[in-house]
Amino acid sequence: MSRFNVRKVAVLGAGVMGAQIAAHLVNVRVPVVLFDLPSGDGPKNAIVSRAVENLKKLKPAPLGVAEDAVLIGQANYEQDLEQLRDCDLIIEAIAERMDWKLALYQKIAPFIAAHAIVASNTSGLSITRLSEALPEEIKPRFCGIHFFNPPRYMALVELINTPATQPQILDALESFVTSNLGKGVVRAKDSPNFIANRVGVAGMLATMKEVENYGLSYDVVDDLTGKKLGRASSGTFRTADVVGLDTMAHVIKTLQDTLTLETDPFYASFATPEVLKTLIEMGHLGQKSKAGFFKKVGRDVLRFDAASKAYVAGGEKADEVYARMLKKPAAERLKLLRNAEGAQGQFLWAILRNSFHYAAVHLASIADNARDVDFCMRWGFGMQQGPFELWQEAGWLEVAQMVKQDIDEGKALCQAPLPDWVFNGPVAQAGGVHTPAGSWNPTTQQFVPVRQLPVYARQHFPESVFGSAATPVAGAGKTVYEDAHIRLWSLDDEVLIVSSKTKMHAIGAGVVEGLQRALELAQQSYQGLVIWSGDEVFSAGADLQAMLPAFMSGGTDAIVGMEAEMQKLMLDLRYSNIPVVSAVRGLALGGGCELALYSSRRVAAMESYIGLVEVGVGLVPGAGGLTYIARRAAENAARSTGKDLLPFLTEGFTAAAMAKVGTSALDSRKLGYLLDSDPVVAHKDELLFVAINEARALYASGYRAPHRRQIPVAGRSGIATFKGSLVNMRDGGFISAHDYLIASLIAEVVCGGEVDAGTLVTEEYLMALERKVFGRLLKEPKTQERIMGMMSNGKPVRN
């Protein structure tokens, strides 16, 4: 099948999910029109208009840039169905009512293009049953597409076929959702609630049941079942609040309505918890109503007390002994929890045992293989490991025997035995369900490999499950040079890749030296250089910890000398005779931001948070960040008809003085830290592929470094203007006296110092100004307080 070219998408339903799916489509530059019912009063599209306007207010933000809400087309089912003819993909996301969905399908069917894919975003209704309302010619192009909330941030999308769905339709949709929307796709069977919600909601219900059994409070449970357990930091009950207690109750009801004790031996555990009923009756639906299992009052977080039906003081933490247990290796950890005498330890073993038991019993009916279950729990519920991965890491047969013993002794949620394949045959022989050959499919009794679609060739290092023996990044490719700070390597002997090895990829003397070495090697023997970290931090900036000894022994001069070396590196990168591409993902702060700014090109993952944040430690950007702001303002002004530099300088000055960080790659572009020519990549695992190809393309086009040009600056009049506004902020109590000093010094650098407006200066001149004010601030006691505060607890000191 040829490439599925999605020129326009229709989203039907402007509720929470529909509006946010539309928002994410806008984020990734896919034209979209959002439909809903016609309004009875006022403009016909009023319902959609309100939903689109609300997108600007939601947290976390569904839009990369709030102003892009205007790009969402607005339509209604009464006047605008003709627009569906232009859509290549139609996503239905109305309320979870089978009758409503079927009626809508009958209404839209005459307007669906002959090639268009139609998909339902249901969270658990039967896809096959839904397809019955469609004409025969559309059924082969119909499937389920289940996004997780919030769609921008959650990686998981489940695709569900019907018996009539053409395989090539699923392949085309999987490719689009993976590469264009940046999602991890899992194909689920058409069973109630599919994979993630089936296992995840059953797990939450089982957890609530065990909470009652062991008499634990909600805040203790969240402390135990959050990061300490390798799960989402929101734990169990805060997650329920975020999802919405009414939404959770609906998903539970789907399980209750579509399953029986005969089809699911755990059915007795699916009763709606009494506390959930109580909270819903009280109108406490979680985060959306500002009260659920938890309620924030001022700065205090209260927890609901089921006995009194009132909110009481929260914040209780788990016993530290269990935090220590959870840090142990998997095998030791599970044995310690199973043999624990305290209620908290017994509770933890119980919920883990229940997850192993449930996943094994239902694997064959919900998924094609064990890998899909583990990916669903990772991508849909924020777990570091899925249940099968943890089970396998802890010792497959040993854990299986412990679970079996609990079942036999009546301690488990039900008496259903573990499947025979757990103890006998290939799984037992391999020591688990994941092997280098693939993951276990209990239906075919084989280990099946990852699906091979052309889109996955774009992922050099895709996520893998424990036991798959995937090649780690640290051992991939050909190593050219490596030391304690940095690794230089290549996948193709054409483009050199440099990856720092420091904590949070902080930039110290060793990294600077390694980057210089990389640049020299790349210029000698390669087509380009790619700077890539491989995780959720591109670089958190200068290594303050590493600079401390230099400061103690050599004082301010030593640090300023190190800044001079970093500035030299930045200019060497900018004026290199081969292209340097920074592959940015996650945090790129301070020196990390400057490293990206001085590259020939930036390739950024959608979730990239870029900014010059040195003000937080009482300093100014010292590795060329302020010089970049002055240069970009001059370049932008030169392309305009105006002669005044200040309007072009103001945004960069404000961003640096207020330590603004882009809340997405799109917002970072708005702040000037990415250019329109810098690609934004939706899927994080495609970042390296795109960066390497960007370097190749630049080289093939005859890349040459930019000319060294002198820069016109705003001079003393610009400084005076900025300081005037800063005085008002200081005197109004919006900034401290030290903030005023730092911002004033930033103004002096970006305006070029005490010179006439329009004076031409070099980048080296501006960098010398940076070093001068950087050194001055290092001597300030309040700056030293900020630095020590950041080093001791990682939080900025306000002084």
Short mmCIF file of all heavy atoms in Angstrom, two decimals, residues 403-435:
data_model
loop_
_atom_site.label_atom_id
_atom_site.label_comp_id
_atom_site.label_asym_id
_atom_site.label_seq_id
_atom_site.Cartn_x
_atom_site.Cartn_y
_atom_site.Cartn_z
N VAL A 403 3.01 -17.07 43.53
CA VAL A 403 1.64 -16.71 43.17
C VAL A 403 0.73 -17.93 43.29
O VAL A 403 -0.38 -17.85 43.84
CB VAL A 403 1.59 -16.13 41.74
CG1 VAL A 403 0.14 -15.87 41.31
CG2 VAL A 403 2.40 -14.83 41.65
N LYS A 404 1.19 -19.05 42.81
CA LYS A 404 0.40 -20.29 42.88
C LYS A 404 0.08 -20.66 44.32
O LYS A 404 -1.06 -21.04 44.65
CB LYS A 404 1.15 -21.44 42.21
CG LYS A 404 0.39 -22.78 42.22
CD LYS A 404 1.18 -23.87 41.54
CE LYS A 404 0.38 -25.18 41.47
NZ LYS A 404 -0.02 -25.67 42.81
N GLN A 405 1.06 -20.52 45.19
CA GLN A 405 0.83 -20.85 46.59
C GLN A 405 -0.23 -19.95 47.20
O GLN A 405 -1.11 -20.41 47.95
CB GLN A 405 2.14 -20.73 47.38
CG GLN A 405 2.02 -21.19 48.83
CD GLN A 405 3.35 -21.13 49.57
OE1 GLN A 405 4.41 -21.05 48.96
NE2 GLN A 405 3.30 -21.17 50.89
N ASP A 406 -0.18 -18.65 46.87
CA ASP A 406 -1.21 -17.72 47.38
C ASP A 406 -2.59 -18.08 46.85
O ASP A 406 -3.60 -17.98 47.57
CB ASP A 406 -0.86 -16.28 46.99
CG ASP A 406 0.16 -15.65 47.94
OD1 ASP A 406 0.77 -16.41 48.73
OD2 ASP A 406 0.35 -14.42 47.89
N ILE A 407 -2.65 -18.50 45.58
CA ILE A 407 -3.94 -18.91 45.01
C ILE A 407 -4.46 -20.14 45.75
O ILE A 407 -5.63 -20.19 46.16
CB ILE A 407 -3.80 -19.22 43.49
CG1 ILE A 407 -3.42 -17.94 42.72
CG2 ILE A 407 -5.12 -19.79 42.95
CD1 ILE A 407 -3.04 -18.20 41.27
N ASP A 408 -3.59 -21.11 45.93
CA ASP A 408 -3.99 -22.35 46.60
C ASP A 408 -4.43 -22.11 48.04
O ASP A 408 -5.32 -22.80 48.55
CB ASP A 408 -2.83 -23.35 46.58
CG ASP A 408 -2.50 -23.84 45.17
OD1 ASP A 408 -3.36 -23.66 44.27
OD2 ASP A 408 -1.40 -24.38 44.97
N GLU A 409 -3.85 -21.12 48.69
CA GLU A 409 -4.16 -20.83 50.09
C GLU A 409 -5.32 -19.84 50.24
O GLU A 409 -5.65 -19.42 51.35
CB GLU A 409 -2.92 -20.29 50.81
CG GLU A 409 -1.80 -21.33 50.94
CD GLU A 409 -0.55 -20.75 51.57
OE1 GLU A 409 -0.55 -19.54 51.92
OE2 GLU A 409 0.44 -21.50 51.73
N GLY A 410 -5.92 -19.43 49.11
CA GLY A 410 -7.07 -18.53 49.16
C GLY A 410 -6.73 -17.08 49.43
O GLY A 410 -7.61 -16.30 49.81
N LYS A 411 -5.48 -16.68 49.23
CA LYS A 411 -5.07 -15.30 49.49
C LYS A 411 -5.26 -14.40 48.26
O LYS A 411 -5.25 -13.18 48.39
CB LYS A 411 -3.60 -15.26 49.92
CG LYS A 411 -3.32 -15.98 51.23
CD LYS A 411 -1.82 -15.94 51.55
CE LYS A 411 -1.52 -16.67 52.86
NZ LYS A 411 -0.06 -16.69 53.13
N ALA A 412 -5.39 -14.99 47.09
CA ALA A 412 -5.53 -14.21 45.86
C ALA A 412 -6.97 -13.73 45.69
O ALA A 412 -7.86 -14.12 46.45
CB ALA A 412 -5.11 -15.05 44.66
N LEU A 413 -7.18 -12.89 44.68
CA LEU A 413 -8.52 -12.34 44.46
C LEU A 413 -9.50 -13.39 43.97
O LEU A 413 -10.71 -13.25 44.14
CB LEU A 413 -8.45 -11.20 43.43
CG LEU A 413 -7.78 -9.91 43.90
CD1 LEU A 413 -7.71 -8.92 42.75
CD2 LEU A 413 -8.50 -9.29 45.08
N CYS A 414 -8.99 -14.42 43.30
CA CYS A 414 -9.86 -15.49 42.84
C CYS A 414 -9.07 -16.79 42.76
O CYS A 414 -7.84 -16.79 42.91
CB CYS A 414 -10.49 -15.16 41.48
SG CYS A 414 -9.34 -15.29 40.10
N GLN A 415 -9.74 -17.89 42.54
CA GLN A 415 -9.10 -19.21 42.55
C GLN A 415 -8.65 -19.67 41.15
O GLN A 415 -8.18 -20.80 41.00
CB GLN A 415 -10.08 -20.25 43.12
CG GLN A 415 -10.42 -20.02 44.59
CD GLN A 415 -9.17 -20.07 45.48
OE1 GLN A 415 -8.47 -21.06 45.50
NE2 GLN A 415 -8.91 -18.98 46.19
N ALA A 416 -8.80 -18.83 40.15
CA ALA A 416 -8.38 -19.22 38.80
C ALA A 416 -6.90 -19.56 38.79
O ALA A 416 -6.07 -18.77 39.24
CB ALA A 416 -8.66 -18.09 37.82
N PRO A 417 -6.53 -20.73 38.29
CA PRO A 417 -5.12 -21.10 38.27
C PRO A 417 -4.34 -20.34 37.22
O PRO A 417 -4.92 -19.84 36.24
CB PRO A 417 -5.16 -22.60 37.95
CG PRO A 417 -6.40 -22.75 37.13
CD PRO A 417 -7.40 -21.77 37.70
N LEU A 418 -3.06 -20.23 37.41
CA LEU A 418 -2.21 -19.67 36.36
C LEU A 418 -2.24 -20.61 35.16
O LEU A 418 -2.32 -21.84 35.32
CB LEU A 418 -0.77 -19.53 36.87
CG LEU A 418 -0.53 -18.46 37.93
CD1 LEU A 418 0.89 -18.55 38.48
CD2 LEU A 418 -0.80 -17.06 37.40
N PRO A 419 -2.18 -20.07 33.93
CA PRO A 419 -2.20 -20.94 32.75
C PRO A 419 -1.05 -21.94 32.75
O PRO A 419 0.02 -21.68 33.32
CB PRO A 419 -2.08 -19.93 31.59
CG PRO A 419 -2.51 -18.63 32.15
CD PRO A 419 -2.12 -18.64 33.59
N ASP A 420 -1.24 -23.03 32.06
CA ASP A 420 -0.23 -24.09 32.01
C ASP A 420 1.08 -23.60 31.41
O ASP A 420 2.16 -24.05 31.82
CB ASP A 420 -0.78 -25.28 31.21
CG ASP A 420 0.21 -26.44 31.18
OD1 ASP A 420 0.48 -27.01 32.26
OD2 ASP A 420 0.72 -26.75 30.09
N TRP A 421 0.99 -22.67 30.43
CA TRP A 421 2.22 -22.20 29.78
C TRP A 421 3.16 -21.47 30.74
O TRP A 421 4.35 -21.30 30.44
CB TRP A 421 1.92 -21.32 28.57
CG TRP A 421 1.04 -20.11 28.81
CD1 TRP A 421 -0.28 -20.00 28.54
CD2 TRP A 421 1.44 -18.84 29.35
NE1 TRP A 421 -0.74 -18.74 28.88
CE2 TRP A 421 0.30 -18.01 29.37
CE3 TRP A 421 2.64 -18.32 29.82
CZ2 TRP A 421 0.33 -16.70 29.85
CZ3 TRP A 421 2.69 -17.01 30.28
CH2 TRP A 421 1.53 -16.22 30.31
N VAL A 422 2.63 -21.03 31.88
CA VAL A 422 3.49 -20.36 32.87
C VAL A 422 4.54 -21.33 33.39
O VAL A 422 5.71 -20.96 33.60
CB VAL A 422 2.64 -19.80 34.02
CG1 VAL A 422 3.53 -19.32 35.17
CG2 VAL A 422 1.74 -18.66 33.53
N PHE A 423 4.14 -22.61 33.62
CA PHE A 423 5.02 -23.57 34.27
C PHE A 423 5.69 -24.55 33.31
O PHE A 423 6.70 -25.16 33.65
CB PHE A 423 4.22 -24.38 35.29
CG PHE A 423 3.64 -23.55 36.40
CD1 PHE A 423 2.30 -23.15 36.36
CD2 PHE A 423 4.41 -23.15 37.48
CE1 PHE A 423 1.75 -22.39 37.38
CE2 PHE A 423 3.88 -22.38 38.50
CZ PHE A 423 2.55 -22.00 38.45
N ASN A 424 5.12 -24.73 32.14
CA ASN A 424 5.60 -25.77 31.24
C ASN A 424 5.86 -25.22 29.84
O ASN A 424 5.21 -24.28 29.39
CB ASN A 424 4.57 -26.91 31.14
CG ASN A 424 4.28 -27.51 32.51
OD1 ASN A 424 5.17 -28.08 33.15
ND2 ASN A 424 3.03 -27.39 32.96
N GLY A 425 6.80 -25.86 29.15
CA GLY A 425 7.04 -25.53 27.75
C GLY A 425 8.01 -24.38 27.55
O GLY A 425 8.85 -24.08 28.41
N PRO A 426 7.91 -23.69 26.42
CA PRO A 426 8.92 -22.69 26.03
C PRO A 426 9.12 -21.55 27.03
O PRO A 426 10.24 -21.11 27.23
CB PRO A 426 8.36 -22.15 24.70
CG PRO A 426 7.51 -23.25 24.16
CD PRO A 426 6.90 -23.91 25.36
N VAL A 427 8.03 -21.06 27.66
CA VAL A 427 8.18 -19.94 28.60
C VAL A 427 9.01 -20.35 29.80
O VAL A 427 9.93 -19.64 30.23
CB VAL A 427 6.79 -19.41 29.03
CG1 VAL A 427 6.93 -18.41 30.18
CG2 VAL A 427 6.09 -18.75 27.85
N ALA A 428 8.68 -21.50 30.38
CA ALA A 428 9.43 -21.99 31.53
C ALA A 428 10.89 -22.23 31.15
O ALA A 428 11.82 -21.91 31.91
CB ALA A 428 8.79 -23.27 32.07
N GLN A 429 11.11 -22.80 29.97
CA GLN A 429 12.48 -23.08 29.53
C GLN A 429 13.28 -21.80 29.28
O GLN A 429 14.48 -21.74 29.55
CB GLN A 429 12.44 -23.93 28.26
CG GLN A 429 11.88 -25.34 28.47
CD GLN A 429 11.52 -26.02 27.16
OE1 GLN A 429 11.89 -25.55 26.08
NE2 GLN A 429 10.77 -27.11 27.26
N ALA A 430 12.60 -20.76 28.78
CA ALA A 430 13.27 -19.49 28.48
C ALA A 430 13.42 -18.61 29.72
O ALA A 430 14.16 -17.62 29.68
CB ALA A 430 12.50 -18.73 27.40
N GLY A 431 12.70 -18.95 30.79
CA GLY A 431 12.76 -18.13 31.99
C GLY A 431 11.92 -16.88 31.90
O GLY A 431 12.18 -15.88 32.59
N GLY A 432 10.89 -16.91 31.06
CA GLY A 432 10.00 -15.77 30.97
C GLY A 432 9.36 -15.63 29.61
O GLY A 432 9.61 -16.42 28.69
N VAL A 433 8.53 -14.61 29.47
CA VAL A 433 7.75 -14.42 28.25
C VAL A 433 8.47 -13.59 27.19
O VAL A 433 8.03 -13.52 26.05
CB VAL A 433 6.39 -13.76 28.56
CG1 VAL A 433 5.48 -14.69 29.33
CG2 VAL A 433 6.60 -12.45 29.34
N HIS A 434 9.57 -12.93 27.59
CA HIS A 434 10.31 -12.08 26.65
C HIS A 434 11.67 -12.70 26.35
O HIS A 434 12.42 -13.02 27.27
CB HIS A 434 10.50 -10.68 27.22
CG HIS A 434 9.23 -9.97 27.57
ND1 HIS A 434 8.19 -9.83 26.69
CD2 HIS A 434 8.83 -9.36 28.73
CE1 HIS A 434 7.20 -9.16 27.28
NE2 HIS A 434 7.56 -8.88 28.51
N THR A 435 11.97 -12.84 25.08
CA THR A 435 13.25 -13.41 24.64
C THR A 435 13.79 -12.59 23.48
O THR A 435 13.05 -11.78 22.90
CB THR A 435 13.07 -14.87 24.18
OG1 THR A 435 12.36 -14.88 22.92
CG2 THR A 435 12.32 -15.71 25.20
#
